[in-house]
Amino acid sequence: MSVAALIKACSQWEHLPIDIEREVMPEFLKLGVKDEIYFWADPKLNPAIVSGEIEHWEYPMQENDPNPRRVADITYAKQMSDDWHRLVCCKELLHLLDPIETRVSRPEDIDKLIEKIILPSDLQDPFTDGIHALTDRVAITYAAAVLFPMGARNILLPHAGKKLSLPKIAQMAEIPIRYAYLVMSETWPEIHAMMVD
Amino acid sequence: MSKHSREDGMDCLFERRDMKLVNIRFFRGQSDIICEDEFNAERAAAAARKRSGEITPAPHAPQCKQAPIDLRKVVADI
């Protein structure tokens, strides 16, 4: 059960947009994720401060329950545009696949994650910010790979920027334009290869 | 960071005995400068809105606005 396997499966898709519920969720099921997932669109959450979050819980039915009920609450700022809703929710959803060693659940780790995650991009340091902050940031790129699959990119690539503008491509993918730009960039195949290896 | 906003943010995660936090992750907001206090205050306020029933969850992710687009047809028509 890994995010690499999910991205690999999605990379074959040759259409846009990718619907999270109809297309991505079944892939989670195939990977063995059977958690209950709830989406909270919060109209008062300020997207300038917090765009979204996931809280992943276990509810043991009894002490040392080997099969606890697992529930994920994904909250997102409703004030954002629809394309951002999708990106934020997809990114948070992918954290259901986080390996144990990168999960964050202790108060001291949460403090540290927040301390690093709020830094503006020019102050981020992938070498010293730690695995938790790093995996939080990388997950946005994973979400772009899921919502704009390699198969779809490859069909559009010869026409991109000529008769097919980037805003039009972003509109077809229903993702924010900066992530459409990232996927259509020359460096994307290399980034993609690192994600699926 | 003020103790108050930090503790409000933590309380909502650890106050219940019947549930255990497995993982928590964030999508940072788009403001260039964000301080820990306001980040924690936003989170705590969102948790309070969930607890009070002011917002309710949907069992599905935000849906696409468009039907699937056949990209091969799109490029053929260019």
Side-chain angles (χ1 to χ4, degrees):
Chain A
M1 171 165 100
S2 75
V3 73
L6 179 76
I7 294 172
K8 205 177 265 183
C10 299
S11 68
Q12 310 299 318
W13 296 340
E14 295 187 336
H15 63 276
L16 290 174
I18 303 303
D19 191 84
I20 297 173
E21 196 64 33
R22 202 178 56 243
E23 300 177 89
V24 182
M25 295 303 290
E27 297 299 326
F28 272 82
L29 283 175
K30 285 183 203 167
L31 291 170
V33 177
K34 294 177 181 141
D35 307 40
E36 293 169 42
I37 304 166
Y38 298 98
F39 294 87
W40 303 75
D42 188 337
K44 291 185 182 165
L45 189 63
N46 181 352
I49 310 298
V50 181
S51 296
E53 69 164 44
I54 181 170
E55 293 170 2
H56 194 190
W57 306 95
E58 274 183 5
Y59 292 78
M61 297 300 146
Q62 57 207 23
E63 210 169 322
N64 300 322
D65 186 348
N67 296 305
R69 180 178 161 227
R70 289 167 72 100
V71 177
D73 289 310
I74 293 176
T75 307
Y76 59 99
K78 199 175 178 183
Q79 294 173 42
M80 299 183 298
S81 55
D82 292 337
D83 52 358
W84 276 101
H85 291 167
R86 282 167 37 75
L87 185 80
V88 169
C89 288
C90 186
K91 180 261 184 194
E92 300 307 342
L93 199 55
L94 294 178
H95 285 299
L96 292 178
L97 301 171
D98 281 353
I100 291 171
E101 62 272 18
T102 67
R103 291 178 192 162
V104 179
S105 60
R106 298 183 307 169
E108 59 270 32
D109 290 335
I110 297 169
D111 281 340
K112 186 148 186 257
L113 174 62
I114 291 173
E115 184 189 308
K116 298 298 180 188
I117 209 78
I118 61 172
L119 291 173
S121 55
D122 55 335
L123 293 181
Q124 293 170 8
D125 183 345
F127 299 104
T128 61
D129 284 351
I131 187 75
H132 295 143
L134 192 62
T135 50
D136 229 347
R137 292 176 192 137
V138 168
I140 304 171
T141 312
Y142 290 156
V146 169
L147 294 178
F148 192 166
M150 196 60 142
R153 173 195 187 268
N154 291 344
I155 293 172
L156 300 178
L157 190 63
H159 308 276
K162 298 166 194 156
K163 296 202 170 166
L164 211 46
S165 69
L166 220 49
K168 174 68 182 165
I169 291 172
Q171 188 191 26
M172 288 194 291
E174 297 191 19
I175 62 172
I177 192 164
R178 72 173 79 163
Y179 293 96
Y181 179 83
L182 173 67
V183 173
M184 295 308 294
S185 70
E186 276 179 24
T187 54
W188 185 250
E190 205 177 324
I191 296 168
H192 194 274
M194 283 191 280
M195 290 190 287
V196 298
D197 275 349
Chain B
M1 173 167 46
S2 88
K3 207 174 159 195
H4 183 68
S5 66
R6 189 251 179 206
E7 284 181 355
D8 280 352
M10 288 295 175
D11 281 353
C12 59
L13 298 174
F14 297 104
E15 67 192 355
R16 285 183 54 178
R17 296 264 172 218
D18 61 333
M19 55 205 270
K20 182 180 136 203
L21 185 69
V22 176
N23 195 11
I24 183 165
R25 293 313 188 119
F26 308 106
F27 200 122
R28 181 192 192 284
Q30 291 167 24
S31 178
D32 205 26
I33 306 294
I34 301 173
C35 73
E36 287 177 57
D37 260 352
E38 57 185 354
F39 194 89
N40 279 315
E42 278 297 323
R43 291 191 43 244
R49 286 190 287 277
K50 283 187 260 190
R51 269 201 310 264
S52 70
E54 184 180 339
I55 55 172
T56 52
H60 54 77
Q63 288 165 321
C64 287
K65 301 291 172 225
Q66 306 165 90
I69 300 167
D70 181 346
L71 299 179
R72 293 196 184 279
K73 183 170 185 315
V74 170
V75 297
D77 291 345
I78 287 175

